[in-house]
Amino acid sequence: MILESYPQMILNLFIMQSLQIDEWLNIGSCVISALSVILGFSDFLVIMTHIDIDAADIPFTNKLFGMLSISIDTFLRALSMAYLM
């Protein structure tokens, strides 16, 4: 999921920045790709920090904090990569 959503998000940002295409389909596709990347990275982060317990016992707040940190990191990286392209 992450291996296909992250490049798609970067390409969508590149298209919107360089070609100045601000249609709703492009924006919607970029938002869906970004949410997919955030959810996938936060799941990975929480599972790696709680490797010794069952997945059902992972606290929900840890998942939310993981999503917040990953979202900030992902958006800054994607915007910088799209800008450099």
Side-chain angles (χ1 to χ4, degrees):
M1 177 187 298
I2 294 172
L3 296 176
E4 103 182 22
S5 296
Y6 193 67
Q8 181 180 359
M9 183 180 69
I10 292 171
L11 288 175
N12 281 334
L13 287 172
F14 172 71
I15 288 170
M16 287 192 301
Q17 283 183 349
S18 65
L19 300 177
Q20 299 297 318
I21 298 175
D22 294 332
E23 295 179 4
W24 286 107
L25 288 176
N26 290 348
I27 294 170
S29 176
C30 187
V31 167
I32 290 170
S33 297
L35 292 175
S36 176
V37 167
I38 291 168
L39 184 64
F41 277 143
S42 66
D43 282 342
F44 176 74
L45 180 69
V46 170
I47 287 173
M48 287 294 114
T49 57
H50 294 86
I51 195 103
D52 55 342
I53 63 174
D54 190 24
D57 296 331
I58 296 173
F60 186 68
T61 56
N62 286 357
K63 189 171 185 176
L64 288 178
F65 286 135
M67 288 175 72
L68 178 65
S69 66
I70 293 299
S71 65
I72 293 168
D73 181 54
T74 302
F75 284 131
L76 291 177
R77 286 178 193 260
L79 284 175
S80 65
M81 289 177 73
Y83 180 73
L84 291 174
M85 279 199 232

